[in-house]
Amino acid sequence: MLKVVVCDNISQSGIEILKNDPDIELDIKSSVSKDELPNYLSDADAIITRSATSVDDAFLSKCGKLKVIGRAGVGVDNVDLSAASKRGIVVLNMPTGNTLAATEHTMTHIMNCLRFLPNANYELKYKHIWNRKKWMGIELAGKTLGIIGMGRIGSRVAVRAMSFDANVVVYDPYIKKEKATDIGVKIVDKLDELLQVSDIITIHTPKTDETYNMIGEKEIDMMKDGVTLINCARGGLYNEKALYKGLKSGKIRALGIDVFENEPQPNHFLQEFDNVFVTPHLGANSFESQIRVGTQIAKSVVDALKGRGYTNAVNITMAEEEISHLGKQFLGLAERMGSFLSQYVNKFISKAKIYVHGDIEKYADALALFTSVGILKNSIDEHVNYVNAPYIAKERGLEVQSKIYQGTTEFKNYLLIEAIYEGEKISIGGTVFEPNKARIVFMNGFDMEIELTGNIIVFQNHDKPGIIGMVGAVLGENKINIADFRLGRREGSGEALSFIKVDEEVDDKILDKILHIDGAIKVNKVKL
Ligand code: NAD
Ligand code: MLT
């Protein structure tokens, strides 16, 4: 069984997916205090969180079996990605499910700030005051809305604001300018320009080292007097003390915020102002969005746990969906070739050079990554996968390089791996006969063709009559059945190399007997 612990509230539709999967053991811990939560995670294979759970290194150190973190939302600033990657944990998010909810929430904050509706509502309903003069608003039409960050949410806010006849100016140095100009908004190269011309400013960037506190005192000073500010993205993008100062001085006419630097935040110092409108991180909280996010994250977590795919993985450098069927066959082959090499050599491999030829050249880096997984996984205790392999390789001193193959080959696609260990070198070549016959076709100058699966004895000998028969006899005496046998010769060497597939693993005594056959040079076993 695969244990999934749900740490924050997700929709019932997501819970049902997990509950109904016969391979999943579900544990819902969304009502447990965050301090106690790690106590329930030692045997979790996956966790599902929202922004309320902080998944840092200390947290992860309590999750010994964790393989997948499902973040039911877009922002992964509450997850230490580097710590997760080092542990080989795949982090998945759900970036699009709540985009509309957050967009509409932003529009609601904008309109509230312009018309002060919550205050009017409060006065009329709870104080029974009918005051039409006091709550005079301003219109969005004709105003300039500055949008910092023109991604999924920012771009949708832009379209909605334009339908209100606002002029929209955006600042996002990381997008193609056409993304803004095609929908008719102005894009500026400098943040200062946006700050100076906007009546209302809303921010929609992720929280990164660069965006944290990107709006401080200096930036607020540059803004128009009476500016309205909105933050439905992440707490800390606007410096909270600078906001306080701007509100106190009257520079800021109104502030709408959904997110705080530290959450939960029931008593924030910004709440002392009547012209500050706060919501407790509700941007994603619409029924529709939570159904989308909860359902999708539950499905993705189950898929990832069962190895069926890694939808929206944020710490995998490879976009799996962009890899063709052939590419995937080669990745599997690269991993098996790496594993073969490390078992065959049975010593520390310090360098692996990966040469690729054909359509698979575009996957050179991914092939190098999978080769390193194969090499590493036999030699260390840790769980190695293609998330943590680069970290582990670096730690262990395994250098992996990928290059285009410059030699000649009869194969349409060809992968050659050269491993260096203790000053020696070994190389094996492989290909995939389409659609899915992955084979190694070369080893150290010997041509042959064999599938790299199961128990294999690799036997090198002087090429003279009768030797193979003697190997067969040793195996037969020990009741070891031969499933496949392939022999290669190296021209002019007088040597032969055999790959003997056997039904069960042979022990070292049997290998020793084979090595003592007259003419034997070397014998090794590998298991794939
Ligand atoms: P996105 O990744 O689609 O867009 C982010 C945009 O910010 C990108 O276009 C990027 O180029 C831009 N950007 C990055 N650094 C920048 C910088 N220094 N200056 C200007 N632009 C920069 O993300 P999204 O889905 O639109 O989400 C935006 C934000 O909203 C995120 O912080 C996300 O966590 C948050 N969010 C909050 C809620 C909520 O409940 N309040 C819900 C969903 C998303
Ligand atoms: C998000 O990043 O998607 C939001 O903050 C939503 C959430 O975590 O609830």
Side-chain angles (χ1 to χ4, degrees):
M1 289 292 266
L2 298 160
K3 185 167 176 182
V4 178
V5 181
V6 175
C7 303
D8 294 315
N9 290 321
I10 64 162
S11 71
Q12 194 54 31
S13 54
I15 298 289
E16 291 303 320
I17 287 173
L18 298 165
K19 238 189 214 165
N20 294 334
D21 192 305
D23 302 320
I24 300 292
E25 180 193 337
L26 173 65
D27 193 7
I28 301 178
K29 286 283 174 273
S30 44
S31 47
V32 161
S33 86
K34 295 300 172 201
D35 290 343
E36 281 175 40
L37 184 59
N39 302 334
Y40 299 95
L41 302 177
S42 60
D43 58 348
D45 295 287
I47 57 169
I48 298 184
T49 74
R50 286 183 60 190
S51 50
T53 303
S54 171
V55 185
D56 57 16
D57 199 24
F59 180 101
L60 289 171
S61 67
K62 308 268 171 55
C63 311
K65 277 185 72 193
L66 202 63
K67 296 170 198 73
V68 178
I69 298 170
R71 167 67 173 89
V74 51
V76 283
D77 46 300
N78 60 321
V79 180
D80 184 335
L81 290 180
S82 142
S85 303
K86 276 184 197 157
R87 292 178 153 84
I89 301 168
V90 179
V91 182
L92 315 169
N93 74 345
M94 195 36 62
T96 53
N98 59 31
T99 300
L100 283 178
T103 302
E104 293 187 6
H105 196 65
T106 306
M107 294 309 294
T108 310
H109 264 289
I110 294 176
M111 295 317 294
N112 275 337
C113 282
L114 296 184
R115 303 297 286 264
F116 290 163
L117 292 195
N119 307 38
N121 171 68
Y122 175 79
E123 260 195 18
L124 180 56
K125 219 165 144 186
Y126 300 103
K127 295 195 164 171
H128 310 293
I129 302 173
W130 183 270
N131 195 341
R132 297 182 64 206
K133 241 188 188 165
K134 185 174 174 190
W135 303 119
M136 189 65 79
I138 52 176
E139 291 169 4
L140 179 52
K143 302 295 178 303
T144 298
L145 173 71
I147 300 179
I148 307 172
M150 181 72 171
R152 284 176 290 260
I153 298 168
S155 57
R156 283 169 179 78
V157 169
V159 171
R160 279 147 188 80
M162 284 195 299
S163 77
F164 277 71
D165 289 334
N167 307 310
V168 178
V169 174
V170 305
Y171 169 72
D172 188 333
Y174 302 112
I175 57 162
K176 267 195 182 164
K177 288 208 160 69
E178 292 75 35
K179 185 173 179 197
T181 52
D182 283 355
I183 59 163
V185 305
K186 184 177 173 196
I187 181 156
V188 291
D189 291 332
K190 293 210 162 39
L191 177 62
D192 295 3
E193 201 182 322
L194 178 146
L195 301 178
Q196 284 158 5
V197 300
S198 302
D199 301 296
I200 306 141
I201 295 173
T202 180
I203 190 158
H204 298 284
T205 67
K207 186 173 179 179
T208 61
D209 289 346
E210 192 192 357
T211 61
Y212 176 65
N213 277 343
M214 92 187 260
I215 304 295
E217 270 190 47
K218 181 167 88 51
E219 287 74 22
I220 292 176
D221 281 348
M222 263 183 232
M223 294 175 190
K224 282 187 176 179
D225 289 342
V227 68
T228 290
L229 295 182
I230 310 291
N231 184 2
C232 290
R234 278 293 176 270
L237 301 180
Y238 296 156
N239 179 294
E240 291 179 343
K241 289 201 176 102
L243 289 175
Y244 186 91
K245 214 174 151 209
L247 284 155
K248 203 82 191 161
S249 71
K251 175 94 181 172
I252 300 174
R253 177 182 171 275
L255 170 68
I257 40 174
D258 184 46
V259 284
F260 296 85
E261 187 158 350
N262 295 306
E263 294 180 8
Q265 188 60 266
N267 284 309
H268 196 271
F269 56 83
L270 288 170
Q271 290 175 25
E272 83 172 54
F273 301 98
D274 285 346
N275 51 347
V276 171
F277 301 96
V278 290
T279 44
H281 204 142
L282 295 183
N285 274 30
S286 71
F287 284 110
E288 296 88 339
S289 112
Q290 284 313 307
I291 290 172
R292 278 192 295 268
V293 170
T295 311
Q296 289 165 7
I297 200 70
K299 281 186 186 156
S300 311
V301 164
V302 172
D303 279 351
L305 280 178
K306 294 187 180 181
R308 291 196 296 234
Y310 300 93
T311 311
N312 296 317
V314 294
N315 59 342
I316 294 179
T317 47
M318 199 180 54
E320 217 186 322
E321 57 284 2
E322 286 166 19
I323 296 180
S324 66
H325 176 71
L326 178 72
K328 284 183 182 150
Q329 302 287 312
F330 265 97
L331 293 181
L333 179 65
E335 184 174 335
R336 286 197 300 281
M337 284 166 73
S339 173
F340 173 88
L341 282 168
S342 77
Q343 293 182 58
Y344 182 82
V345 163
N346 211 10
K347 292 201 171 82
F348 170 68
I349 294 177
S350 56
K351 196 174 206 171
K353 292 185 190 170
I354 285 90
Y355 298 92
V356 287
H357 161 79
D359 291 343
I360 59 163
E361 284 173 10
K362 55 179 173 286
Y363 307 128
D365 290 343
L367 288 164
L369 182 62
F370 273 69
T371 304
S372 63
V373 171
I375 292 177
L376 292 163
K377 74 178 185 189
N378 293 304
S379 55
I380 59 175
D381 275 351
E382 286 167 69
H383 165 71
V384 188
N385 59 20
Y386 61 93
V387 176
N388 61 2
Y391 292 92
I392 298 178
K394 203 167 169 205
E395 253 169 41
R396 311 246 148 195
L398 165 66
E399 191 189 329
V400 187
Q401 290 174 354
S402 60
K403 291 184 175 166
I404 303 300
Y405 181 66
Q406 302 293 350
T408 49
T409 171
E410 66 193 273
F411 302 107
K412 197 169 151 216
N413 290 285
Y414 185 54
L415 170 68
L416 180 77
I417 305 177
E418 204 174 271
I420 317 273
Y421 62 100
E422 296 183 356
E424 293 194 46
K425 194 167 83 180
I426 172 169
S427 42
I428 57 170
T431 192
V432 174
F433 299 100
E434 287 180 74
N436 46 23
K437 262 174 70 182
R439 300 287 183 268
I440 63 163
V441 290
F442 171 86
M443 180 167 159
N444 277 352
F446 294 93
D447 292 324
M448 88 289 294
E449 188 195 312
I450 191 158
E451 190 181 5
L452 274 188
T453 52
N455 289 298
I456 304 176
I457 299 170
V458 186
F459 177 61
Q460 194 170 339
N461 61 291
H462 296 291
D463 195 11
K464 51 182 194 178
I467 296 192
I468 296 307
M470 285 188 258
V471 175
V474 173
L475 293 173
E477 277 160 26
N478 287 280
K479 305 209 168 8
I480 304 285
N481 198 32
I482 297 179
D484 196 0
F485 176 89
R486 305 291 166 115
L487 181 120
R489 285 167 152 171
R490 186 164 54 193
E491 253 190 42
S493 71
E495 289 179 13
L497 182 75
S498 319
F499 278 66
I500 308 157
K501 271 196 174 189
V502 284
D503 282 350
E504 60 196 278
E505 194 174 343
V506 291
D507 62 30
D508 289 345
K509 272 194 224 142
I510 299 176
L511 288 187
D512 202 46
K513 278 192 185 156
I514 295 175
L515 192 61
H516 279 90
I517 293 172
D518 184 28
I521 299 173
K522 210 174 182 183
V523 65
N524 300 59
K525 63 172 180 179
V526 294
K527 188 176 183 176
L528 293 144

